[in-house]
Amino acid sequence: MQEEALLAPAAVARQLAHDQNAYAELGQALRDNPPTSLLTVARGSSDHAAHYMAYLMMARMGRLVTSLPMSLVTLYQSKLVCDGLVSLAFSQSGQSPDLVAPTKFFREGGARTVAFVNADSSPLADAAQFVFPLRSGPELSVAATKSYIAQLVAGARVVAAWSGDEDLQAALQQLPQALEQAAAQRWDVAVEVLKNADKLFVIGRGTGLPIAMEAALKFKETCGIQAEAFSGAEVKHGPMALVEEGYPMLVFAPRGPAQAGLLALAEEMRGRGARVLLAAPEGTPGAELPLSCTGNEDLDPIAVVQSFYPMVEALARARGRNPDQPPHLAKVTKTN
């Protein structure tokens, strides 16, 4: 897991060196023939990457994006309207039947179907009309790392191509260097604080919330910690009742419109006695976990997770667990 996480910057560089024309053509097609609806099709870490792309699309393009409950197609056999639809599926293996079946259904119904997949020779790739290889290379660890980061980058590339944002496109080209810096950040204090934890809140907001969701999943699968991800706004609606003296909270506060509220939340939770681990750019008051910045603040969450992965791998080992072989899990999960 650690080795693959540290290979992510090189994987991103490899992806960015390929398929420029394909992304540009998809962006042009979305401008020439705007979708009437968009939805994402994904599970697990891939679903968190899809959420990141969806947030960017909604924030930058003003287009609502829905996360598909796959059971609508696979179990309930709902006759969803496909006119004007663009579906975007994310997967590492491309093997799960509940991603393949909706993609086939939408394509047969006349929708434009897109797949971002690491295994470009896979059932999902065969089912989709447009296929974008992640190019992250073989991933042996059960816990996805470099493929997740590659999915985040692929989603950002779609938004950059659709919007024609030259600043975002330039920042994407600089991203491998920013990720190298992020991978070198030391978050040792988090290992020390969390090595005996049995529960945890992970807080983010906006483009950072999908990173919090991914982090919570990794805490569960590699460390055996009951971690829950919440928006910095949502946590005040009920979950905060659980916060007591010493309750551990990891708050991701990268640059952007959500940062000020997250910093205020971290301070408030400290006042309630929580043990807050604040991840923020260096120089931020109260930040124990330094965050690297990228060429565009919308890409900063990708650097956040690049710094997080080595820490959570080390935390798993500090807790006496093998992060490369989590109990009861397999690399490829096939659900219907």
Side-chain angles (χ1 to χ4, degrees):
M1 178 181 174
Q2 181 186 43
E3 179 181 353
E4 289 174 352
L6 295 178
L7 286 172
V12 169
R14 186 165 55 246
Q15 186 200 124
L16 291 169
H18 290 82
D19 307 313
Q20 294 96 328
N21 290 340
Y23 279 95
E25 289 168 6
L26 177 60
Q28 188 65 53
L30 292 171
R31 289 193 297 273
D32 292 345
N33 183 16
T36 58
S37 56
L38 299 110
L39 55 79
T40 60
V41 184
R43 292 273 191 216
S45 291
S46 297
D47 191 41
H48 305 151
H51 273 75
Y52 170 76
M53 182 198 67
Y55 199 96
L56 284 182
M57 285 182 171
M58 290 187 281
R60 283 176 164 262
M61 307 305 302
R63 298 280 180 171
L64 292 176
V65 185
T66 300
S67 175
L68 176 73
M70 275 78 85
S71 59
L72 285 174
V73 175
T74 61
L75 300 182
Y76 288 83
Q77 299 180 346
S78 302
K79 303 304 179 185
L80 300 174
V81 176
C82 297
D83 295 343
L85 171 67
V86 172
S87 76
L88 304 116
F90 288 75
S91 177
Q92 195 283 129
S93 70
Q95 297 287 334
S96 187
D98 61 354
L99 275 67
V100 176
T103 301
K104 285 183 176 179
F105 172 84
F106 294 134
R107 185 173 182 180
E108 291 168 359
R112 286 175 283 179
T113 55
V114 184
F116 306 92
V117 61
N118 202 33
D120 51 354
S121 296
S122 63
L124 179 61
D126 291 342
Q129 181 182 4
F130 304 100
V131 179
F132 291 88
L134 298 177
R135 303 188 185 279
S136 61
E139 190 173 57
L140 303 180
S141 170
V142 172
T145 54
K146 61 178 180 172
S147 64
Y148 174 73
I149 290 174
Q151 288 174 332
L152 295 174
V153 173
R157 291 181 78 182
V158 172
V159 175
W162 188 2
S163 65
D165 187 323
E166 294 181 358
D167 177 73
L168 183 58
Q169 291 170 346
L172 279 163
Q173 293 304 314
Q174 300 162 6
L175 189 56
Q177 292 76 23
L179 294 181
E180 289 280 4
Q181 182 186 45
Q185 297 284 14
R186 298 304 300 263
W187 285 18
D188 299 354
V189 64
V191 176
E192 185 63 29
V193 169
L194 299 175
K195 65 182 181 182
N196 295 316
D198 61 356
K199 57 194 175 188
L200 174 69
F201 282 174
V202 188
I203 308 298
R205 200 171 183 192
T207 53
L209 180 57
I211 306 307
M213 295 164 66
E214 169 65 6
L217 175 62
K218 288 297 187 286
F219 278 126
K220 285 191 277 278
E221 68 179 342
T222 66
C223 300
I225 299 174
Q226 180 60 51
E228 293 188 81
F230 290 103
S231 158
E234 190 65 34
V235 74
K236 292 190 172 186
H237 282 266
M240 197 165 60
L242 295 175
V243 177
E244 55 191 13
E245 189 69 30
Y247 197 101
M249 299 181 71
L250 172 56
V251 179
F252 292 134
R255 297 178 302 167
Q259 186 187 58
L262 290 165
L263 296 178
L265 176 69
E267 188 63 25
E268 180 182 348
M269 292 300 99
R270 284 196 188 97
R272 291 175 177 265
R275 178 58 176 98
V276 176
L277 288 162
L278 175 62
E282 287 193 70
T284 303
E288 296 178 272
L289 311 179
L291 294 183
S292 297
C293 296
T294 68
N296 186 293
E297 65 183 29
D298 280 342
L299 301 181
D300 283 6
I302 306 178
V304 174
V305 78
Q306 178 70 79
S307 296
F308 169 80
Y309 281 146
M311 181 279 289
V312 79
E313 194 273 350
L315 176 62
R317 296 192 183 280
R319 292 169 63 85
R321 301 174 72 94
N322 182 355
D324 298 331
Q325 295 180 327
H328 316 304
L329 298 177
K331 182 61 182 172
V332 178
T333 304
K334 296 184 178 181
T335 50
N336 293 301

